[in-house]
Amino acid sequence: MKNKTLLPAALLGLALAASGLAAAQEYTAPPVAAKPAGGPVKGASYVVDPTHTFVMYEMGHYGTTTNRGRFSTKDGSVQIDAAGTSGKVDITMDISSINTGVDLLNRHVQSKDFFNVAEFPTGRFVAERIAFSGDKVAEVPGTLTLMGQTKPVTLKAVRFNCYLSPLINRQVCGGDFETTVERSDWGITWGLNFGFENKVKLLVQVEAVNVQQ
């Protein structure tokens, strides 16, 4: 518990420093390119960077278009085991931050019809194992808690990389992950009988900073 308390605070300082540099550069890319940094470090602790970590969802709408939304993360940690072949993940998501790009729709998906953020403002993804392919993360089997319900979910990596950030001079690892779930597993059933699909694709982008360098 001590690490879980200290790590988000450590990242906050790093994130603020990076944000300050970005602001000074008017959000342009830094003049120094990021350098490759191998794979995740054995036994290292990483803190999820909330400024580069989001969850997007895609849900079919009357068999025509796709409804999309995005919510932010509050904090999270990744611990790589001593062998560098597995690890643990714990990420808390800010469901109340959900944004579809349409204000009226935002209010609807925040209501009891969907995520009921008044009662369940956060979600959580926890994994006790990380599957590697060489020095890259291949998939992360874990559990997703939404609406007070916890169900198994496996996030599969579409891409993964580690680099030395030119902004904070620390190793950053992350990638894009995907999975498809059935929202009814979490009790989200509005619209199933008139055109809103049950299957939802989740697209997760995540970056985490090595705080032990």
Side-chain angles (χ1 to χ4, degrees), residues 39-70:
V41 176
K42 296 177 181 179
S45 295
Y46 292 77
V47 172
V48 170
D49 178 356
T51 67
H52 288 84
T53 304
F54 304 93
V55 179
M56 283 69 71
Y57 71 82
E58 297 181 347
M59 179 180 65
H61 175 246
Y62 292 119
T64 54
T65 57
T66 301
N67 276 1
R68 295 178 173 88
R70 185 179 91 164

PDB file of all heavy atoms in Angstrom, residues 39-70:
ATOM      1  N   GLY A  39      13.095  -3.038 -23.216  1.00  0.00           N
ATOM      2  CA  GLY A  39      11.795  -3.423 -22.700  1.00  0.00           C
ATOM      3  C   GLY A  39      11.610  -2.950 -21.278  1.00  0.00           C
ATOM      4  O   GLY A  39      12.471  -2.274 -20.708  1.00  0.00           O
ATOM      5  N   PRO A  40      10.477  -3.282 -20.659  1.00  0.00           N
ATOM      6  CA  PRO A  40      10.264  -2.936 -19.255  1.00  0.00           C
ATOM      7  C   PRO A  40      11.380  -3.498 -18.377  1.00  0.00           C
ATOM      8  O   PRO A  40      11.852  -4.610 -18.594  1.00  0.00           O
ATOM      9  CB  PRO A  40       8.911  -3.590 -18.939  1.00  0.00           C
ATOM     10  CG  PRO A  40       8.220  -3.666 -20.261  1.00  0.00           C
ATOM     11  CD  PRO A  40       9.296  -3.944 -21.257  1.00  0.00           C
ATOM     12  N   VAL A  41      11.790  -2.739 -17.401  1.00  0.00           N
ATOM     13  CA  VAL A  41      12.924  -3.115 -16.557  1.00  0.00           C
ATOM     14  C   VAL A  41      12.489  -4.141 -15.509  1.00  0.00           C
ATOM     15  O   VAL A  41      11.452  -3.982 -14.859  1.00  0.00           O
ATOM     16  CB  VAL A  41      13.504  -1.867 -15.853  1.00  0.00           C
ATOM     17  CG1 VAL A  41      14.633  -2.258 -14.902  1.00  0.00           C
ATOM     18  CG2 VAL A  41      14.005  -0.877 -16.899  1.00  0.00           C
ATOM     19  N   LYS A  42      13.280  -5.179 -15.359  1.00  0.00           N
ATOM     20  CA  LYS A  42      12.979  -6.226 -14.386  1.00  0.00           C
ATOM     21  C   LYS A  42      12.879  -5.641 -12.983  1.00  0.00           C
ATOM     22  O   LYS A  42      13.746  -4.886 -12.542  1.00  0.00           O
ATOM     23  CB  LYS A  42      14.063  -7.301 -14.413  1.00  0.00           C
ATOM     24  CG  LYS A  42      14.168  -8.062 -15.729  1.00  0.00           C
ATOM     25  CD  LYS A  42      15.310  -9.060 -15.689  1.00  0.00           C
ATOM     26  CE  LYS A  42      15.441  -9.802 -17.013  1.00  0.00           C
ATOM     27  NZ  LYS A  42      16.575 -10.764 -17.007  1.00  0.00           N
ATOM     28  N   GLY A  43      11.809  -5.981 -12.289  1.00  0.00           N
ATOM     29  CA  GLY A  43      11.620  -5.542 -10.915  1.00  0.00           C
ATOM     30  C   GLY A  43      11.249  -4.087 -10.738  1.00  0.00           C
ATOM     31  O   GLY A  43      11.132  -3.617  -9.604  1.00  0.00           O
ATOM     32  N   ALA A  44      11.038  -3.364 -11.831  1.00  0.00           N
ATOM     33  CA  ALA A  44      10.775  -1.924 -11.736  1.00  0.00           C
ATOM     34  C   ALA A  44       9.303  -1.625 -11.471  1.00  0.00           C
ATOM     35  O   ALA A  44       8.402  -2.403 -11.793  1.00  0.00           O
ATOM     36  CB  ALA A  44      11.219  -1.224 -13.013  1.00  0.00           C
ATOM     37  N   SER A  45       9.075  -0.466 -10.880  1.00  0.00           N
ATOM     38  CA  SER A  45       7.726   0.045 -10.663  1.00  0.00           C
ATOM     39  C   SER A  45       7.468   1.194 -11.636  1.00  0.00           C
ATOM     40  O   SER A  45       8.316   2.065 -11.814  1.00  0.00           O
ATOM     41  CB  SER A  45       7.561   0.558  -9.226  1.00  0.00           C
ATOM     42  OG  SER A  45       7.670  -0.497  -8.301  1.00  0.00           O
ATOM     43  N   TYR A  46       6.310   1.174 -12.252  1.00  0.00           N
ATOM     44  CA  TYR A  46       5.904   2.212 -13.198  1.00  0.00           C
ATOM     45  C   TYR A  46       4.613   2.843 -12.692  1.00  0.00           C
ATOM     46  O   TYR A  46       3.773   2.184 -12.080  1.00  0.00           O
ATOM     47  CB  TYR A  46       5.656   1.620 -14.586  1.00  0.00           C
ATOM     48  CG  TYR A  46       6.902   1.112 -15.272  1.00  0.00           C
ATOM     49  CD1 TYR A  46       7.479  -0.101 -14.905  1.00  0.00           C
ATOM     50  CD2 TYR A  46       7.500   1.840 -16.298  1.00  0.00           C
ATOM     51  CE1 TYR A  46       8.624  -0.575 -15.540  1.00  0.00           C
ATOM     52  CE2 TYR A  46       8.640   1.376 -16.948  1.00  0.00           C
ATOM     53  CZ  TYR A  46       9.197   0.172 -16.561  1.00  0.00           C
ATOM     54  OH  TYR A  46      10.329  -0.299 -17.183  1.00  0.00           O
ATOM     55  N   VAL A  47       4.465   4.126 -12.967  1.00  0.00           N
ATOM     56  CA  VAL A  47       3.227   4.829 -12.642  1.00  0.00           C
ATOM     57  C   VAL A  47       2.571   5.282 -13.935  1.00  0.00           C
ATOM     58  O   VAL A  47       3.224   5.835 -14.823  1.00  0.00           O
ATOM     59  CB  VAL A  47       3.504   6.040 -11.730  1.00  0.00           C
ATOM     60  CG1 VAL A  47       2.252   6.873 -11.555  1.00  0.00           C
ATOM     61  CG2 VAL A  47       3.986   5.568 -10.370  1.00  0.00           C
ATOM     62  N   VAL A  48       1.279   5.003 -14.037  1.00  0.00           N
ATOM     63  CA  VAL A  48       0.529   5.362 -15.237  1.00  0.00           C
ATOM     64  C   VAL A  48       0.436   6.875 -15.360  1.00  0.00           C
ATOM     65  O   VAL A  48       0.121   7.573 -14.392  1.00  0.00           O
ATOM     66  CB  VAL A  48      -0.874   4.732 -15.183  1.00  0.00           C
ATOM     67  CG1 VAL A  48      -1.774   5.280 -16.290  1.00  0.00           C
ATOM     68  CG2 VAL A  48      -0.761   3.219 -15.277  1.00  0.00           C
ATOM     69  N   ASP A  49       0.734   7.379 -16.542  1.00  0.00           N
ATOM     70  CA  ASP A  49       0.657   8.810 -16.829  1.00  0.00           C
ATOM     71  C   ASP A  49      -0.759   9.133 -17.305  1.00  0.00           C
ATOM     72  O   ASP A  49      -1.140   8.773 -18.419  1.00  0.00           O
ATOM     73  CB  ASP A  49       1.674   9.168 -17.908  1.00  0.00           C
ATOM     74  CG  ASP A  49       1.635  10.633 -18.304  1.00  0.00           C
ATOM     75  OD1 ASP A  49       0.758  11.363 -17.802  1.00  0.00           O
ATOM     76  OD2 ASP A  49       2.471  11.048 -19.124  1.00  0.00           O
ATOM     77  N   PRO A  50      -1.578   9.811 -16.482  1.00  0.00           N
ATOM     78  CA  PRO A  50      -2.966  10.083 -16.870  1.00  0.00           C
ATOM     79  C   PRO A  50      -3.097  11.031 -18.053  1.00  0.00           C
ATOM     80  O   PRO A  50      -4.167  11.104 -18.657  1.00  0.00           O
ATOM     81  CB  PRO A  50      -3.577  10.682 -15.594  1.00  0.00           C
ATOM     82  CG  PRO A  50      -2.421  11.245 -14.846  1.00  0.00           C
ATOM     83  CD  PRO A  50      -1.254  10.351 -15.143  1.00  0.00           C
ATOM     84  N   THR A  51      -2.025  11.747 -18.409  1.00  0.00           N
ATOM     85  CA  THR A  51      -2.104  12.641 -19.559  1.00  0.00           C
ATOM     86  C   THR A  51      -1.900  11.889 -20.876  1.00  0.00           C
ATOM     87  O   THR A  51      -2.069  12.455 -21.948  1.00  0.00           O
ATOM     88  CB  THR A  51      -1.055  13.773 -19.458  1.00  0.00           C
ATOM     89  OG1 THR A  51       0.267  13.223 -19.572  1.00  0.00           O
ATOM     90  CG2 THR A  51      -1.183  14.510 -18.143  1.00  0.00           C
ATOM     91  N   HIS A  52      -1.523  10.600 -20.793  1.00  0.00           N
ATOM     92  CA  HIS A  52      -1.335   9.781 -21.987  1.00  0.00           C
ATOM     93  C   HIS A  52      -2.081   8.457 -21.889  1.00  0.00           C
ATOM     94  O   HIS A  52      -1.771   7.515 -22.628  1.00  0.00           O
ATOM     95  CB  HIS A  52       0.154   9.486 -22.216  1.00  0.00           C
ATOM     96  CG  HIS A  52       0.940  10.669 -22.693  1.00  0.00           C
ATOM     97  ND1 HIS A  52       1.455  11.615 -21.835  1.00  0.00           N
ATOM     98  CD2 HIS A  52       1.287  11.068 -23.943  1.00  0.00           C
ATOM     99  CE1 HIS A  52       2.101  12.535 -22.528  1.00  0.00           C
ATOM    100  NE2 HIS A  52       2.001  12.243 -23.807  1.00  0.00           N
ATOM    101  N   THR A  53      -3.049   8.373 -20.979  1.00  0.00           N
ATOM    102  CA  THR A  53      -3.759   7.111 -20.762  1.00  0.00           C
ATOM    103  C   THR A  53      -5.258   7.359 -20.766  1.00  0.00           C
ATOM    104  O   THR A  53      -5.781   8.097 -19.925  1.00  0.00           O
ATOM    105  CB  THR A  53      -3.323   6.471 -19.431  1.00  0.00           C
ATOM    106  OG1 THR A  53      -1.900   6.302 -19.423  1.00  0.00           O
ATOM    107  CG2 THR A  53      -3.982   5.118 -19.249  1.00  0.00           C
ATOM    108  N   PHE A  54      -5.942   6.745 -21.728  1.00  0.00           N
ATOM    109  CA  PHE A  54      -7.375   6.925 -21.898  1.00  0.00           C
ATOM    110  C   PHE A  54      -8.015   5.610 -22.336  1.00  0.00           C
ATOM    111  O   PHE A  54      -7.339   4.729 -22.851  1.00  0.00           O
ATOM    112  CB  PHE A  54      -7.676   7.992 -22.968  1.00  0.00           C
ATOM    113  CG  PHE A  54      -7.042   9.316 -22.699  1.00  0.00           C
ATOM    114  CD1 PHE A  54      -5.798   9.626 -23.235  1.00  0.00           C
ATOM    115  CD2 PHE A  54      -7.669  10.254 -21.900  1.00  0.00           C
ATOM    116  CE1 PHE A  54      -5.191  10.848 -22.985  1.00  0.00           C
ATOM    117  CE2 PHE A  54      -7.076  11.485 -21.640  1.00  0.00           C
ATOM    118  CZ  PHE A  54      -5.837  11.777 -22.186  1.00  0.00           C
ATOM    119  N   VAL A  55      -9.315   5.523 -22.142  1.00  0.00           N
ATOM    120  CA  VAL A  55     -10.089   4.384 -22.636  1.00  0.00           C
ATOM    121  C   VAL A  55     -11.150   4.907 -23.589  1.00  0.00           C
ATOM    122  O   VAL A  55     -11.924   5.804 -23.244  1.00  0.00           O
ATOM    123  CB  VAL A  55     -10.755   3.613 -21.487  1.00  0.00           C
ATOM    124  CG1 VAL A  55     -11.570   2.438 -22.037  1.00  0.00           C
ATOM    125  CG2 VAL A  55      -9.709   3.121 -20.483  1.00  0.00           C
ATOM    126  N   MET A  56     -11.168   4.358 -24.796  1.00  0.00           N
ATOM    127  CA  MET A  56     -12.190   4.689 -25.771  1.00  0.00           C
ATOM    128  C   MET A  56     -13.126   3.485 -25.944  1.00  0.00           C
ATOM    129  O   MET A  56     -12.679   2.348 -25.811  1.00  0.00           O
ATOM    130  CB  MET A  56     -11.566   5.040 -27.124  1.00  0.00           C
ATOM    131  CG  MET A  56     -10.954   6.430 -27.207  1.00  0.00           C
ATOM    132  SD  MET A  56      -9.472   6.654 -26.219  1.00  0.00           S
ATOM    133  CE  MET A  56      -8.274   5.686 -27.108  1.00  0.00           C
ATOM    134  N   TYR A  57     -14.389   3.759 -26.233  1.00  0.00           N
ATOM    135  CA  TYR A  57     -15.295   2.649 -26.535  1.00  0.00           C
ATOM    136  C   TYR A  57     -16.000   2.903 -27.861  1.00  0.00           C
ATOM    137  O   TYR A  57     -16.179   4.051 -28.281  1.00  0.00           O
ATOM    138  CB  TYR A  57     -16.320   2.441 -25.404  1.00  0.00           C
ATOM    139  CG  TYR A  57     -17.367   3.510 -25.292  1.00  0.00           C
ATOM    140  CD1 TYR A  57     -18.506   3.509 -26.105  1.00  0.00           C
ATOM    141  CD2 TYR A  57     -17.236   4.536 -24.356  1.00  0.00           C
ATOM    142  CE1 TYR A  57     -19.474   4.491 -26.003  1.00  0.00           C
ATOM    143  CE2 TYR A  57     -18.202   5.529 -24.245  1.00  0.00           C
ATOM    144  CZ  TYR A  57     -19.318   5.498 -25.069  1.00  0.00           C
ATOM    145  OH  TYR A  57     -20.268   6.482 -24.969  1.00  0.00           O
ATOM    146  N   GLU A  58     -16.388   1.814 -28.517  1.00  0.00           N
ATOM    147  CA  GLU A  58     -17.135   1.886 -29.776  1.00  0.00           C
ATOM    148  C   GLU A  58     -18.317   0.927 -29.685  1.00  0.00           C
ATOM    149  O   GLU A  58     -18.143  -0.254 -29.374  1.00  0.00           O
ATOM    150  CB  GLU A  58     -16.253   1.498 -30.960  1.00  0.00           C
ATOM    151  CG  GLU A  58     -15.074   2.439 -31.180  1.00  0.00           C
ATOM    152  CD  GLU A  58     -14.228   2.041 -32.380  1.00  0.00           C
ATOM    153  OE1 GLU A  58     -14.404   0.909 -32.889  1.00  0.00           O
ATOM    154  OE2 GLU A  58     -13.399   2.860 -32.813  1.00  0.00           O
ATOM    155  N   MET A  59     -19.523   1.446 -29.952  1.00  0.00           N
ATOM    156  CA  MET A  59     -20.733   0.643 -29.869  1.00  0.00           C
ATOM    157  C   MET A  59     -21.609   0.890 -31.089  1.00  0.00           C
ATOM    158  O   MET A  59     -21.880   2.041 -31.447  1.00  0.00           O
ATOM    159  CB  MET A  59     -21.508   0.990 -28.584  1.00  0.00           C
ATOM    160  CG  MET A  59     -22.805   0.232 -28.417  1.00  0.00           C
ATOM    161  SD  MET A  59     -23.654   0.691 -26.870  1.00  0.00           S
ATOM    162  CE  MET A  59     -24.046   2.426 -27.192  1.00  0.00           C
ATOM    163  N   GLY A  60     -22.024  -0.169 -31.737  1.00  0.00           N
ATOM    164  CA  GLY A  60     -22.862  -0.058 -32.925  1.00  0.00           C
ATOM    165  C   GLY A  60     -24.200   0.592 -32.621  1.00  0.00           C
ATOM    166  O   GLY A  60     -24.806   0.379 -31.564  1.00  0.00           O
ATOM    167  N   HIS A  61     -24.688   1.370 -33.582  1.00  0.00           N
ATOM    168  CA  HIS A  61     -25.872   2.216 -33.398  1.00  0.00           C
ATOM    169  C   HIS A  61     -26.833   1.994 -34.553  1.00  0.00           C
ATOM    170  O   HIS A  61     -26.587   2.455 -35.672  1.00  0.00           O
ATOM    171  CB  HIS A  61     -25.398   3.675 -33.319  1.00  0.00           C
ATOM    172  CG  HIS A  61     -26.482   4.698 -33.256  1.00  0.00           C
ATOM    173  ND1 HIS A  61     -26.689   5.601 -34.266  1.00  0.00           N
ATOM    174  CD2 HIS A  61     -27.400   4.975 -32.301  1.00  0.00           C
ATOM    175  CE1 HIS A  61     -27.685   6.407 -33.937  1.00  0.00           C
ATOM    176  NE2 HIS A  61     -28.137   6.036 -32.751  1.00  0.00           N
ATOM    177  N   TYR A  62     -27.890   1.225 -34.330  1.00  0.00           N
ATOM    178  CA  TYR A  62     -28.915   0.934 -35.334  1.00  0.00           C
ATOM    179  C   TYR A  62     -28.342   0.286 -36.597  1.00  0.00           C
ATOM    180  O   TYR A  62     -28.889   0.461 -37.693  1.00  0.00           O
ATOM    181  CB  TYR A  62     -29.689   2.203 -35.700  1.00  0.00           C
ATOM    182  CG  TYR A  62     -30.548   2.728 -34.576  1.00  0.00           C
ATOM    183  CD1 TYR A  62     -30.322   3.997 -34.047  1.00  0.00           C
ATOM    184  CD2 TYR A  62     -31.562   1.953 -34.038  1.00  0.00           C
ATOM    185  CE1 TYR A  62     -31.100   4.480 -32.998  1.00  0.00           C
ATOM    186  CE2 TYR A  62     -32.341   2.432 -32.997  1.00  0.00           C
ATOM    187  CZ  TYR A  62     -32.107   3.690 -32.486  1.00  0.00           C
ATOM    188  OH  TYR A  62     -32.871   4.163 -31.449  1.00  0.00           O
ATOM    189  N   GLY A  63     -27.231  -0.423 -36.465  1.00  0.00           N
ATOM    190  CA  GLY A  63     -26.654  -1.109 -37.618  1.00  0.00           C
ATOM    191  C   GLY A  63     -26.065  -0.171 -38.656  1.00  0.00           C
ATOM    192  O   GLY A  63     -25.789  -0.587 -39.788  1.00  0.00           O
ATOM    193  N   THR A  64     -25.883   1.085 -38.294  1.00  0.00           N
ATOM    194  CA  THR A  64     -25.352   2.050 -39.268  1.00  0.00           C
ATOM    195  C   THR A  64     -24.023   2.614 -38.768  1.00  0.00           C
ATOM    196  O   THR A  64     -22.962   2.114 -39.103  1.00  0.00           O
ATOM    197  CB  THR A  64     -26.356   3.200 -39.497  1.00  0.00           C
ATOM    198  OG1 THR A  64     -26.716   3.782 -38.232  1.00  0.00           O
ATOM    199  CG2 THR A  64     -27.616   2.695 -40.176  1.00  0.00           C
ATOM    200  N   THR A  65     -24.100   3.650 -37.953  1.00  0.00           N
ATOM    201  CA  THR A  65     -22.878   4.298 -37.468  1.00  0.00           C
ATOM    202  C   THR A  65     -22.419   3.676 -36.148  1.00  0.00           C
ATOM    203  O   THR A  65     -23.065   2.786 -35.589  1.00  0.00           O
ATOM    204  CB  THR A  65     -23.118   5.803 -37.269  1.00  0.00           C
ATOM    205  OG1 THR A  65     -24.214   5.976 -36.373  1.00  0.00           O
ATOM    206  CG2 THR A  65     -23.416   6.469 -38.598  1.00  0.00           C
ATOM    207  N   THR A  66     -21.303   4.180 -35.654  1.00  0.00           N
ATOM    208  CA  THR A  66     -20.726   3.702 -34.395  1.00  0.00           C
ATOM    209  C   THR A  66     -20.681   4.838 -33.389  1.00  0.00           C
ATOM    210  O   THR A  66     -20.131   5.909 -33.673  1.00  0.00           O
ATOM    211  CB  THR A  66     -19.293   3.177 -34.632  1.00  0.00           C
ATOM    212  OG1 THR A  66     -19.340   2.114 -35.594  1.00  0.00           O
ATOM    213  CG2 THR A  66     -18.683   2.659 -33.337  1.00  0.00           C
ATOM    214  N   ASN A  67     -21.288   4.620 -32.234  1.00  0.00           N
ATOM    215  CA  ASN A  67     -21.201   5.600 -31.152  1.00  0.00           C
ATOM    216  C   ASN A  67     -19.849   5.431 -30.455  1.00  0.00           C
ATOM    217  O   ASN A  67     -19.452   4.319 -30.110  1.00  0.00           O
ATOM    218  CB  ASN A  67     -22.329   5.389 -30.135  1.00  0.00           C
ATOM    219  CG  ASN A  67     -23.606   6.061 -30.564  1.00  0.00           C
ATOM    220  OD1 ASN A  67     -23.672   6.674 -31.618  1.00  0.00           O
ATOM    221  ND2 ASN A  67     -24.645   5.932 -29.751  1.00  0.00           N
ATOM    222  N   ARG A  68     -19.169   6.548 -30.198  1.00  0.00           N
ATOM    223  CA  ARG A  68     -17.858   6.503 -29.568  1.00  0.00           C
ATOM    224  C   ARG A  68     -17.814   7.450 -28.369  1.00  0.00           C
ATOM    225  O   ARG A  68     -18.462   8.489 -28.363  1.00  0.00           O
ATOM    226  CB  ARG A  68     -16.754   6.890 -30.559  1.00  0.00           C
ATOM    227  CG  ARG A  68     -16.597   5.909 -31.710  1.00  0.00           C
ATOM    228  CD  ARG A  68     -15.522   6.365 -32.689  1.00  0.00           C
ATOM    229  NE  ARG A  68     -15.260   5.360 -33.709  1.00  0.00           N
ATOM    230  CZ  ARG A  68     -15.920   5.260 -34.858  1.00  0.00           C
ATOM    231  NH1 ARG A  68     -16.896   6.124 -35.120  1.00  0.00           N
ATOM    232  NH2 ARG A  68     -15.614   4.313 -35.721  1.00  0.00           N
ATOM    233  N   GLY A  69     -17.026   7.068 -27.397  1.00  0.00           N
ATOM    234  CA  GLY A  69     -16.806   7.915 -26.240  1.00  0.00           C
ATOM    235  C   GLY A  69     -15.441   7.629 -25.646  1.00  0.00           C
ATOM    236  O   GLY A  69     -14.797   6.632 -25.975  1.00  0.00           O
ATOM    237  N   ARG A  70     -15.010   8.523 -24.768  1.00  0.00           N
ATOM    238  CA  ARG A  70     -13.693   8.369 -24.145  1.00  0.00           C
ATOM    239  C   ARG A  70     -13.760   8.812 -22.697  1.00  0.00           C
ATOM    240  O   ARG A  70     -14.425   9.783 -22.377  1.00  0.00           O
ATOM    241  CB  ARG A  70     -12.654   9.212 -24.888  1.00  0.00           C
ATOM    242  CG  ARG A  70     -11.232   9.019 -24.366  1.00  0.00           C
ATOM    243  CD  ARG A  70     -10.248   9.863 -25.143  1.00  0.00           C
ATOM    244  NE  ARG A  70     -10.065  11.170 -24.541  1.00  0.00           N
ATOM    245  CZ  ARG A  70      -9.048  11.985 -24.832  1.00  0.00           C
ATOM    246  NH1 ARG A  70      -8.150  11.627 -25.737  1.00  0.00           N
ATOM    247  NH2 ARG A  70      -8.936  13.157 -24.251  1.00  0.00           N
TER     248      ARG A  70
END
